[in-house]
Amino acid sequence: MKLYTSPRAPNPRRVMMFMAEKVITDIALVTVDINAQAHKADAFRAINPLTTVPVLELNDGRVLSESRAICTWLEGQFPDVNLMGVDANERAFIEMADRRAEWYLLVPIAQVIRHTHPGLAPLEQPQFPDYGHAQTVKVRDYAERFDSLLQRQTWMAGDRFTIADITAFCALEFARLMKFSPKAEGFDALQAWRDRVAARPSAVAI
Amino acid sequence: MKLYTSPRAPNPRRVMMFMAEKVITDIALVTVDINAQAHKADAFRAINPLTTVPVLELNDGRVLSESRAICTWLEGQFPDVNLMGVDANERAFIEMADRRAEWYLLVPIAQVIRHTHPGLAPLEQPQFPDYGHAQTVKVRDYAERFDSLLQRQTWMAGDRFTIADITAFCALEFARLMKFSPKAEGFDALQAWRDRVAARPSAVAI
């Protein structure tokens, strides 16, 4: 199997961290240089016409894109350690936590950065800086809610580490590009959670 | 069980259409008037602090938000008709199709409407009309890709109707507010697929 990836981007990092938690080592990593627009080149379009990374190419030739869908497939193949729920009931609650991390943390952070950071201009055309800057209010507002949540529980989905922690951690790592720090904002529980995740071997950036 | 819903909004409609496909009839529907900001009132914040609809309140008092997570839970409880995959392998490929419908159809359509339509001003503050109008290019671009896909296969995820068709259909229904019509754009395969879905009993707006 091959994972087409771009390690510094948040979505590929989600999948790589998910693989690291499960100690999956037999998937070849193929780096796609998105800053050089390699994801828009014909060679990559032949693999994923939607030009997104990551993409998992299976041994039977089938191709799977969309980070969370790739994780669902990997969870089926490598069920230990479980990160997405052992049955439909738990899967639903972890999916809720994961979507909250994605929609209320990763998405607003990405909108700020994609529309305001000069380095992202090649990937987001046209940029709308006023729109981007306005999303910083949402980032802080939602971060405060996650801080409240983490005052009551240890992990994003409750009492164990799951895919939701991976999504939220990769979002905060990406948020460095907008110089957002939970500690500087006074979100101590969010910072303490972030530091717990950062201490895991899977959190080391590749 | 209770489903807090706002029938005309696309995400609640996804869940209601999912329930209709499975002929789930024993969940009480509680309408939340989002135009009157009822989702921001204390009574609803006590149910879902993130103030989003839909929300499913289970018989044991637990509360589940996020449309797709609600569907995952319902799929576990009401496994027939299967709409999300019978095992992790199929679940992953249907999730890919569903996320594509969400990210490349529903999200850009929603961004256009939330940032340009006067009727959405109470829900999206501040609106950025220039940003919103620019997303119409993405809507057309992605709609063209879905049109290509549907020239090769009958349904969004392949050869059977799934949750991905529900997401994409609710997106196109919402797109009426931006006066987007696949037929008018020359996307005949997308229009024919839309008409196939619209003919299903579950597609009737509540």
Side-chain angles (χ1 to χ4, degrees), chain B residues 50-70:
Chain B
L50 286 167
T51 73
T52 58
V53 283
V55 168
L56 183 65
E57 191 175 290
L58 306 184
N59 288 333
D60 61 14
R62 287 182 303 162
V63 161
L64 196 56
S65 73
E66 300 302 315
S67 302
R68 201 180 188 284
I70 293 172

Side-chain angles (χ1 to χ4, degrees), chain A residues 48-50 52 58 62-66 68-69 72-73 76 88-89 91-93 95-96 99-100 102-104 107 111 115 124 128 130-131 134 138 142 145, chain B residues 48-50 52 58 62-66 68-69 72-73 76 88-89 91-93 95-96 99-100 102-104 107 111 115 124 128 130-131 134 138 142 145:
Chain A
N48 179 15
L50 287 167
T52 59
L58 306 184
R62 288 183 303 162
V63 162
L64 196 55
S65 73
E66 301 300 316
R68 201 181 187 284
T72 293
W73 192 87
N89 175 61
R91 275 207 309 274
F93 279 88
E95 184 169 8
M96 172 176 70
R99 285 184 68 93
R100 285 178 168 183
E102 184 170 43
W103 282 91
Y104 309 122
V107 168
Q111 293 291 66
H115 285 280
E124 184 69 43
F128 290 91
D130 290 349
Y131 164 74
K138 292 190 182 174
Y142 286 126
R145 297 175 200 217
Chain B
N48 179 15
L50 286 167
T52 58
L58 306 184
R62 287 182 303 162
V63 161
L64 196 56
S65 73
E66 300 302 315
R68 201 180 188 284
T72 293
W73 193 86
N89 175 63
R91 275 207 308 275
F93 279 88
E95 185 169 8
M96 172 176 70
R99 285 185 67 94
R100 286 178 166 182
E102 184 170 44
W103 282 91
Y104 310 120
V107 168
Q111 293 291 66
H115 285 279
E124 185 69 44
F128 290 91
D130 289 350
Y131 164 74
K138 293 190 182 175
Y142 287 125
R145 297 173 200 220

